[in-house]
Every structure is written in structure tokens, then in C-alpha cells.
Amino acid sequence: MILTDSLLDFFLETRQTSEDLCKPLEIEDYVVQPIVDVSPPKWHLGHTTWFFEEFILKPHCANYQEFDADFSFVFNSYYETVGKRVVRSDRGNLSRPSVKKVYEYRAYVTNHIKTYFETNPAKELHDLLEIGIHHEKQHQELLLTDIKYILGNNPLLPEYSATFLDHPIETHQQEWIHMEEGIYGVGHATEDFCYDNELGRHKVYLHPYEISNKLVTNGEFTEFIIAGGYSQFDLWHAEGWDWVNQNKVVSPLYWHKIDGEWWHYTSSGLKMVDGNSPLTHISYYESFAFAQWKGCRLPTEFEWEAAQSYFPWGKRWEWTESAYLPYPNYQKAPGALGEYNGKFMVNQKVLRGGSVATPNNHTRPTYRNFFQPPLRWQFTGLRLVK
Amino acid sequence: MILTDSLLDFFLETRQTSEDLCKPLEIEDYVVQPIVDVSPPKWHLGHTTWFFEEFILKPHCANYQEFDADFSFVFNSYYETVGKRVVRSDRGNLSRPSVKKVYEYRAYVTNHIKTYFETNPAKELHDLLEIGIHHEKQHQELLLTDIKYILGNNPLLPEYSATFLDHPIETHQQEWIHMEEGIYGVGHATEDFCYDNELGRHKVYLHPYEISNKLVTNGEFTEFIIAGGYSQFDLWHAEGWDWVNQNKVVSPLYWHKIDGEWWHYTSSGLKMVDGNSPLTHISYYESFAFAQWKGCRLPTEFEWEAAQSYFPWGKRWEWTESAYLPYPNYQKAPGALGEYNGKFMVNQKVLRGGSVATPNNHTRPTYRNFFQPPLRWQFTGLRLVK
Amino acid sequence: MILTDSLLDFFLETRQTSEDLCKPLEIEDYVVQPIVDVSPPKWHLGHTTWFFEEFILKPHCANYQEFDADFSFVFNSYYETVGKRVVRSDRGNLSRPSVKKVYEYRAYVTNHIKTYFETNPAKELHDLLEIGIHHEKQHQELLLTDIKYILGNNPLLPEYSATFLDHPIETHQQEWIHMEEGIYGVGHATEDFCYDNELGRHKVYLHPYEISNKLVTNGEFTEFIIAGGYSQFDLWHAEGWDWVNQNKVVSPLYWHKIDGEWWHYTSSGLKMVDGNSPLTHISYYESFAFAQWKGCRLPTEFEWEAAQSYFPWGKRWEWTESAYLPYPNYQKAPGALGEYNGKFMVNQKVLRGGSVATPNNHTRPTYRNFFQPPLRWQFTGLRLVK
Amino acid sequence: MILTDSLLDFFLETRQTSEDLCKPLEIEDYVVQPIVDVSPPKWHLGHTTWFFEEFILKPHCANYQEFDADFSFVFNSYYETVGKRVVRSDRGNLSRPSVKKVYEYRAYVTNHIKTYFETNPAKELHDLLEIGIHHEKQHQELLLTDIKYILGNNPLLPEYSATFLDHPIETHQQEWIHMEEGIYGVGHATEDFCYDNELGRHKVYLHPYEISNKLVTNGEFTEFIIAGGYSQFDLWHAEGWDWVNQNKVVSPLYWHKIDGEWWHYTSSGLKMVDGNSPLTHISYYESFAFAQWKGCRLPTEFEWEAAQSYFPWGKRWEWTESAYLPYPNYQKAPGALGEYNGKFMVNQKVLRGGSVATPNNHTRPTYRNFFQPPLRWQFTGLRLVK
């Protein structure tokens, strides 16, 4: 159990970090939503604030005056339990509330939370506060990837930051780690914070496998492109093949071929693709096709978890072969918080690891991220198994 | 022919007016595009500027330095002649160039045009300058209607301006003007500016008709609603009936029923509907159905033009029964300017008159506006004929 | 007024002809609906029968026993007045009633109509019978064009009939007919049968024009193709240009380029395109673009009607520049029959003339056919004006 | 290894059975395709024949004369390896080849296969023949479910067969079977025929569970309906909830509420729903929501396989919670046959068991059927676990 003081510090640091991430933005950048999966930055700032207001201040803080009654409608995301909401595809149509007003809303709610917890030594709401902090940290990652999409799809290709380097390099030699057949434990086991979908520590039986200690690189994927991987149907799932053809996909997201060379948009602007850097912004379909082409496969999420202590990870969210399903004895939380994870457990793939956009300490070996197979705007990557 | 001096004044006044119209906006309001027909205000400001740069400065002004080579891509609207362009539905996805940059672009081009015409007494480009001015005036009207849509579809319903009153009243008595059978002349006849679609003054034969000297009011249309007009299929065109049902239309755009009363969003905020004010924000389909219900019909554009001097007009663009078609001997202008009107002459309806959003002197008795039948975001209205 | 005897003969001949047109079909051909505009032949046979049952036998024939109560649902087309109906796009999903049952239905209704009119000398229902006959004749034309589409889009390209030649030749020299400026009368004037949309004989003022005495040929259109007409945006309406690009249109419907030569599917199978034969199966958009390319234009429906006695016509429905609108003082018929024409008077184009598929005596100089601009499965054609 | 004689008998019996299943059909019933998932019966008859021609006769039978070169295009289903094909959604647009021609094609290919194997004692092609037989047996199940859909969505609701009873009853008492925690073996282990997706017998670790010995009944599901299960969002996956609302789902497929009672279309016509009969024609989403409502869950495919010998099964394909994924060491077959299973291993759910429409001996404890979550036209059902 985290003590109140450090929890409050954690809260305040988190609130500040979200705003720091937006420092390089023009006001206009806060507003747009180029695709449905990407939310406007001001929406992230408002929604994470609404979460504290809706689940802590309004139900538990006796004399709390709501900042603006309409904000509940504007900043609710998908919680059916708590009333109507702006449909997701409409977020980019809302010029108001203004960015200035959203920052006022943030300050107002942050202060009320601070005052409340300073004057309320009771521990009952610490869990709620903690989940709100983690919720905001998740949105910090989305802020970075959504901003990248907003700027990276603008014809002017503006830079986000000269110092946020989203293309690190793994310098170690590629090797295959041999994992023995047997029973392994998976799922969250400690007292630390985790989401409900990680709970229910349980046993799985794994057959022997070899897992790479290194992520697939841009260089390796370029060979796949040159070898015609995007036009060889037998490497792809049927729906992956349809996706390639309908969207005319010929490279990872953000890649541009200029005068015969591959460049890509990065958070620090348009750069030449570095063959040594780990591949990113690929769909599950592309990960699978690449693995097929190499005569390998993707790990299951259990294989990944069992082996993760033997290799460095955390630069890329890694696609696994596992579908996002409940663990045995999974129990979703009651009420609105129960809508957090469980209702998405169909037709999504599990990703393991973390990424350059993940806040410090916001991932762990048991963390289960999940996305639909075609999505590419996250810092996704892949690791091979054979 | 307008002398250069007054033409330049006209130019500078027009440039200033566009910016004045945007004074009440927050920066965020400049960016969004809630439906494909509505463009972001900053796009209007940029596009009208690009028009002068693309058609006057770049081809005719020897040492002109383009402001930014990418802007041609960003601010071209539909001119196939002059290269690639951002597709219309993507305009609201562009956070950059920033509003500040767009205003710099405006100042830069305005100054270059000013200098050029001050130092160039030759008359050859006056026609181009004049069409550019009228083009910008057209966009001033769109600015007002697009801003109304942006604010009027925001759940916070922010006011645009306390002084722009978009719901004037016609105080005179309704009467039927009798028009005699015979040959009438239609089309533009003077030396003043007009668009190519008004040219080719010609004769039409009209049969006798009675036309109202007054626009249909909110009060009359409310009776139609109460009488069940939106659910009586035999009042509607087949495709109008489909439109009503697919979009669940039960009232004009911007109307809200609150506690049994009709309110509507106006440029000065949410107001109770005034029964005496002329109806607006209706589609052609609704106009037609209302006329059917009254046992009347809409005028043709020729009937309107022949009778227009006998009644006041200019508050609402009035739907006519006429399809938007070329006049006899219509000739479209050569090159990119020829794309202005002619290529839209199919599946649109002519509207005559003008509206509260139309700039001063920007309409005339022969002006032919045109929209697809379902569109409602303009200040449309209707006048009956029997 | 047609006497009963000859009207009954006319009825019986019409009923027989519909069935004769289907003689070459396999049972399977009666069932399919490859696009929404094409109805299954058995639906045409049933629907024309239902018309007599619904509008004559059920309301007027005292002891009439309905053939099957479900058929009203199955065979109603678009009459909102008379209850629910199978949606148009679902007609090809209905394997039942079987073709055999539909023929039994036809015989049953034909016999009841025959008996009724033989024993009922009263004249009140003659108008209804006559409109039912003309309605069936209209469907005979659709039968031929729909069958052509069904067979012509089958990869096996089966022949419909060796004797129905849908590609006649106009052997006369092309000449321009000069028409004088002045007032002309248009609309139906005699006592003979016509539809409500032709009524209201009225005056129009025409400016001088020259109209071709000959339809545009395949040879002329092939020159347009070779000249790159399908890829020159400035020849097209904006929505025509979108249509070309979205549908990748490069030739008239049914044309196939095989080893560098143009072939087309005809009712008698795949044949080489004959340059001397009048062009057919083109959209309004293509007609317009071709005329632009020739420096000409399409006639209005009034120009066509005023000049039609000076040239042969009837092989192709000819696209006109006119939108399909009501004539002055147009009155739609009361009740369900009023749904026949009026509710389609928006966003369609008028075609004049008739075609090789039009039954004998089923067209006339004032007949107004109408289709949406992109439709091509009728035997459409074009005639130039300058 | 099956001896040739009995394999040939198996082949001939299978060919005959497919035709017997179609005996009750009218010719028209063979042609239609009311939804994309349902293929026309004549397509099934042709496609199963093409499989033998394409994979056995054409490559291996020296002097074989192809029946019709166009049939390869018409009857290929999804094999990218073997050339172009009619897109799936167009199958119902093809009136030709006629049903008669398809039966001739069947006889022709059946005879050539028979002659070939009678005169060719070599064993190399037995595996291909066997897979072709199983392929046809799979299509026999689809024939029955597709015919049900074709007739059950016809407004006349015609009966398929008075003797095929698709609503059997499980008469035994419901009990919970307790399964111990531990390691279980899953996957195909014997020499008998199976598909590649069942191979790779391997170990899984299961935690303790209780599984019902009885399928959920119509009566139980009716309680769910009455309790408002279709309108309680928290029982559903997010995408299931969208599916319910977009499709306005209020009951299983084929159910109709008539005068307050639930009826359903069965293969022997419209019948009152029997509360004791096992529920069928439900989606995965509905199965999941029902289980949530009962405080239970669906079994994984491994739990099902481990327990299946303790309960009767085979009346309904049972939805499981498992996603359709490759087993460890899954190897897809080389060439076109490799397209059979592997390329569908994303975004589908596994169903276990079999159904009243499954041919004799065509299922087994390790058989893995798979469908997308919303599909309902198969005889799907569910079994609870707690």
C-alpha cells in the first residue's frame, strides 16, 4: 500500500507530466482527430481530468461544485454506465471547450483532489486515486502516439521535439534463447498495482521454444519488402491480405520512399530509416507475414512472459500470437470501472512489453496491452520465435 | 470598368472584412470541419489568399517569391487544372499551418497584390483581380454559415456574435403578385461583374402565375410539423422521403424541442423560435413538401427573376424548382477559372436571392446560387407560387 | 376512347408478349438481380400482374378471390400507398414463388380480367385497364434490358436470341437541321393515352439551334476513347469525373477490349463493335463529355420535341440536357397511381425517343423517360446540337 | 489407410448424398444468395466438383479433357493459388451455368474420378481424394444451413423437408461435471483423417472447472430475453453491444414473435418454439452475454475437449471462449491445400462439437470449427462452465 503522501506526489507528478508532453504543441494541434483511433490532445487532457471528477469528487466529496455540467458529456469516453457521451468519431469536431478552458478544468480538479486527500486521511479512496493515476499514465502514451499521428500526417511534417528520440537502437548480438518444456506461472502475483486483466495468477503448459533476444530491425524488414513480401498472398492471413490490398500497404506506417531511399517521419521530423533500429508502426498482419517469411512465428503472450527476464524489452510493444481473452477466474470490477478491460476481450491481439512512449514504471512483465490487428499508430514491434 | 484605385480599395476592404468576420473566434474554432460541406475558417482564409497568389502573383508577377510551396497543396480547393490538393474531407485534419501563419500568408499576399497593382497601370489583370475579390466575398458567406455550423453543433452551443442577427422579420402583409403570361428576358445584361453562369441574356416563355411577396415563416412551417408533414410520404419526392427516414429529420436544422417548445441555435445563441421570422435552414426536399402541403409550388428560377422587382428579397437564399443547367449558348471560361461553375451543372438546384450572410452588393437579380437538394447549412428559405 | 373489344385484345396481346419475351430463358435466369436497378424477370412478370389485381380486381370485382395474399408484399414495387413491400435490393434473394407459380398467377389474373371486362360493359375502368397495359409495356422494355444485363454480366456470356438485333444501323447521311428561334408548343395534345408527366401542353421559347439528324455512332465514340476522352477531366462534370474514377470506366457498358479490338456483348452474343451502328449503353456523364469534346452539346427536351419530326428516331433513348421536372400546372393523379411519375422529379435527366427494346406504339414525340445520370443498362444514346 | 474400394464407395456415397440433400429444392432455390455468407446450392454442387477436377484430374490424369474451361473461374472459392475467381458476393448473380449443366458436370467428374481410381492402384492420390471427400462433406453441412437461410428468409417461409428435424431434444437432467486441475492432452492422435488445424497433439494445463452435461435450452434463453438481456449493456462485449444495436437484435435468428408467442422457422416450416429444445442460431456475442447473465462462462476449446467424453454432443456447434489460433508446431500444408485453414486464424472463434446438419462421421472430439463472432446461420449453440 502506497502511503498518502507519496501517492499524492505521484498524482501531482502525473498531472504535470501530461501537460509537459503538450508543451511543444500549437493550440491548433490540440484539436484535430485525423482518424477515429487518434483523439485530440485536449480531449486526453480533459478526459483524464473527468475521470477524477466523475469517480472521486462527484460521488465522494460532499460539497464539490462540478466545474461544468456539460463536460461530463464531452469527456466521457466509453463508459456506458455514466451516461451519454460524444461519439468517438466526433471528438475532432469540437472546437470548444477551448484549450485554455481545459487547462483551467485540470487545475480546478487537481486542486480539489489535492485538498481532499490532504484533509482526508481515510484510505478508502486510495485505490480509486491510484487507478486514476494509472489511467492518466496510459493516456500519456496515447498523447505521444496521437500527436505523432497528427503531425506525421500533416503535409508539412512538423517536428514534435528534437529530444524525444523514438528510434533507439539495440546494440547486442541477436541470439536464440532456449526455453524448456514445462509448467509456468503467468499473471500478476505481487501487491503492486495492476489491472484486472492481469489477475488470476495461473499455470500454463509450454512446449519447448526458442525466442530471440532482440527485436526485428528496420533492416530485416526492408529485406522483406525487397523480397516482395507485400505481394505474396501465401504469407498473409486472408483478412490481412484484404487489408494490404484495400489500403495499398507497401511499407510500415510513416515510411516514404524518396528517390529510391526509405525515409520515415519520426517525432523529431523526417529522417532516413536506420536499418539497425527496431522496426515499429506495423500491424499484427505485417508481423505475422514477416514471421512466416522468415520461417518463424510470433510468441504467445505466455511464451513471452515466461522468457521476458532473459532479454531486454520496453522499446516496442510486441505483437503476440495470443488473442486477448480472460484469464481463468477473471472477474471484472463492479460498476463503471468494470468497463475498463473486460468488454474488449474479443477480436483483439495481446501486445507485451512497453514502448519509448510508455511512462516510467507504467509497464511490467505481466502487463497486457491489446489492439485490433490492423492498428499501427502505436510503437508496435515484433520478436521472433522458432 | 472599375478604375484601379477603387478596385484596389474594394480589394483591401474585402480582405479586411474576411478577417473581421473571424474576430469573435477562438483559435480552436478555425480548425475543425464537422461535416464535409463545412470548411475550417482558417482554410477559407488561406484558400482565398491562394487564389490571388496562384492566378495573379505566380503567373504574372516576375520576381514574386512564393510564400510557402506546400500551401498550394493545402489550399487548392477543387481546381484539377492546378495540381494535387488535400481531399475536401481531410481539411479538418490539418492543425498546421497555424492560424498565425495563415494570417502572415494573408498579409504577405495582400501586400504583394497592392504593390503590383499600384505600380502596374496596365488593365489586363483587372478582371482576374475582380473575380478574386468576388471569390473571396463568396467565401465570406461560407465563413458565416460554416462558423454557425461549427458552433451550433458543439454541445456547449457558444454564441458567435451578439450583434449579427440572422433572424430578421418581414413586417409587410402577405399578398399574391399576379404575373402575366408572355416572353421575359433572363440573364445578366449590364457591364457590371457577374459569373459566367448568368451570361447569355435570353428569352423564356412564362405562363401566368401568382407569386408571394413574402417568405414562408417559422410559424407556417410549425403548422406543417404539427400537421404531421414529416410523416406523410405523399408530400415528398421518393428520394426526399428516403432522406427524411434515413436521417430521422423532424424539423429544420438547428431546431431543438425543449419542454414542448421549439428553440433554435442562432448566431447569437440558443433562442426561442419566432413564428414571424422567415423560415431558414431547410433542404429543397422540405421546401417542396411544404409547398405540396399548402397546395402550392416553388417558383422556377425564371419566374423568380421575372417577378423579383415586385417583392423584397435578400434575407434567405430561396430554393427554386429549377435544376442548375447551362443557359443557351453558355460558354465556360478557359483554363482553371472555367472550373468555377460549369462542372457543377448536374443534380443541383438553383437558389435565388441572397441571405443575411451575403456580403453587401454581392448578389443581384440574376445571381444563380446552387446546392444539392439535401443541404441545409446555408440560410435557405422558400417563397410560394400558385 | 378505345372500344372494349379492341382494348381487351390489346390487353391479351400485351400479356402474351411479356411471356414471349421470356421464352429463351432458363428458369435460373428468371431469378437473379445482379445490380439493384435490374429486377429478376419473374419479378417483372409478377409485378405487372399484381398491378391488375391490386388496382382493378381487388377493389372493383365483387367476388374476386385473391390468388395469394403474400404476393402483394412480394410484387409491390414502390407504392407506399398500398402497404409494405420487399425492398428493391432484395428481389434477387427470393427463390419463391417459383417461376411456375408466377405463370399460374398470370393466367389466373388474365382470365379474371378477361371475364370481368367481357361481362361488364361499363366504361369506368377502361382508363385503369389501359394504364395497366401501358405499365406492362414499360416493363417489357425493362425485361429486355434487364435480361441483357443478367446474361451480359455472366462470365459465360450466353446469347439471348439470334433474332433480336439490338444494333441496327442508320444509313442516312449526317446533316444539321436548322431550327428557327421562336415560341413552340410542347406536351401531349391529343386524346390518346399518355402519362401525367406529358400533360399540360404549354409554350416554350427556343433560341436558334442546329440539331443532328443522326445519332452518334460507335465509330465516333471510339475516336473519343482513342483521343483520351476518359482521362481529360475538363470534359466532365465534377460528379461525372468522380464516377469515371471510382468505377474505372474506360468504355461504354458491355464493351471488352480483346487483342486490341473492341468487342461488345449484344443480345445475340459477343460481337465485334460496328463503327456504323449507333452508340448505346452510355451514361449521361459520357454523353455530356463526348459532346464537350466535339464542341457541341446535348439538346434540351424541348429542342428535341420541337425538331423530332425532321429526323428518324426510336432506336435509342436519347439523353437530353433537361432535368426531369414538372410541366407548368402539372397535377399528379390521386392515390397510388399518383406515385407513378411525380415523386421522381428530382435529380434525374429526361431521355427522349425510344429504343429497340420499346414495344410497338409505346413511345411518342411527347414521351418523357427519365433516369439518374450514371445509369447505362438501358439502350441509351445521344444526338448532338450546336 | 482406407483401401481403395471402400474409399471409392465413400466417394460415391458422398457425391450421391450432396444431390439427395437438394432433392426437395425447386430450381430457383439453387440460384440465390441472400447474404454473403450463404452460397447458392448450385455453387456448392459445382465447387465441390471443381475441387476434384482441379486438384486431381487436371494435374494427375494424363488425357483428361476439362469439362468447361470457364468453370474454374466460376467455382473456385478462395484459393488464390489457382487463379482468378468470381468474388464471393457475386455468386448469387450467376444464372448460368444452369442447374442441369451443373449436374452434368458432377456426373462427368464423378465418372472420371471413378475410372481413374479403378484403373490406378497407386496410392499417391488417396490422400487428395480423401480430403476432397471431406471437403464435400463440409459443404453438405453448409448446403443444409444455406438452404435453411434461403427458405427461412423468404416471406413465404416454405418448408424444406417434413422429415429433417432440426430441433431435437436432450431429455437427460442437467448436471455439472467436475473436472480436475492438471495436464491434459489435446489435438488429433490417431491415424484417421483429420484437418491440419487439429494436428500437433500437445499438452495444456487446465485449472479446475465444472461443465454442464446439457446444452442451454430455448426455455432458458427465453428467460434471458424476458429479463431484458438484449438491453443490458454490461452483459455484452463492446463490439457485441454495437452489433445488437446496429442490427436491432432482439432474439435468435429465425425467431418471430406472433401474438405474444415465440415462433421460429425450422427446416420443416414455422413452428412454435419448444422450450425444451436446445437453443440454436445464436452468435458468439449472444452466447457470451447469456453466460454472463447466468454468472457462468463459456468453456475454452481445451476444457471442452478434455471433458467431452462425459456428455452427449453433436446436435449444435458449441461456441467456445477460445480464439481460433494455431496449435504449437502447426504446419500448414504446401500449395493450394495450405489455404484451407491456416489463413483464417485471426479474429474467429472456435466452435466444438457438430450439429444436426453435420454428415455422419464428419466430426470428432478434436474437430475445430471456426466462425466470426456475429455469425448465426449455422446450428450454433452453447454449453455453460462455472
Side-chain angles (χ1 to χ4, degrees), chain B residues 89-157:
Chain B
S89 56
D90 271 350
R91 289 176 192 163
N93 295 334
L94 302 185
S95 59
R96 312 285 180 93
S98 67
V99 171
K100 185 161 164 286
K101 185 68 80 184
V102 171
Y103 276 110
E104 287 168 19
Y105 179 42
R106 287 186 66 84
Y108 180 87
V109 167
T110 298
N111 287 335
H112 275 82
I113 287 280
K114 183 161 177 284
T115 307
Y116 180 73
F117 280 90
E118 280 171 353
T119 57
N120 242 299
K123 305 289 191 207
E124 295 89 47
L125 299 179
H126 288 193
D127 282 2
L128 270 177
L129 182 60
E130 196 175 15
I131 207 171
I133 295 167
H134 285 281
H135 172 255
E136 181 147 351
K137 285 196 168 292
Q138 263 189 308
H139 278 274
Q140 289 171 2
E141 176 156 7
L142 290 170
L143 261 174
L144 279 170
T145 52
D146 290 4
I147 290 168
K148 181 168 184 180
Y149 197 92
I150 288 166
L151 301 179
N153 282 279
N154 188 297
L156 309 182
L157 294 176

Side-chain angles (χ1 to χ4, degrees), chain C residues 19-37:
Chain C
E19 302 185 8
D20 290 347
L21 290 174
C22 294
K23 286 244 169 80
L25 301 186
E26 302 277 358
I27 286 180
E28 294 87 342
D29 301 326
Y30 284 91
V31 181
V32 299
Q33 180 180 36
I35 53 169
V36 68
D37 309 291

Side-chain angles (χ1 to χ4, degrees), chain C residues 28-29 70 95-96 99 154, chain D residues 28-29 95-96 99 154 156:
Chain C
E28 294 87 342
D29 301 326
D70 289 324
S95 59
R96 311 286 179 94
V99 172
N154 188 297
Chain D
E28 294 86 342
D29 301 327
S95 60
R96 312 287 179 95
V99 173
N154 188 297
L156 310 183

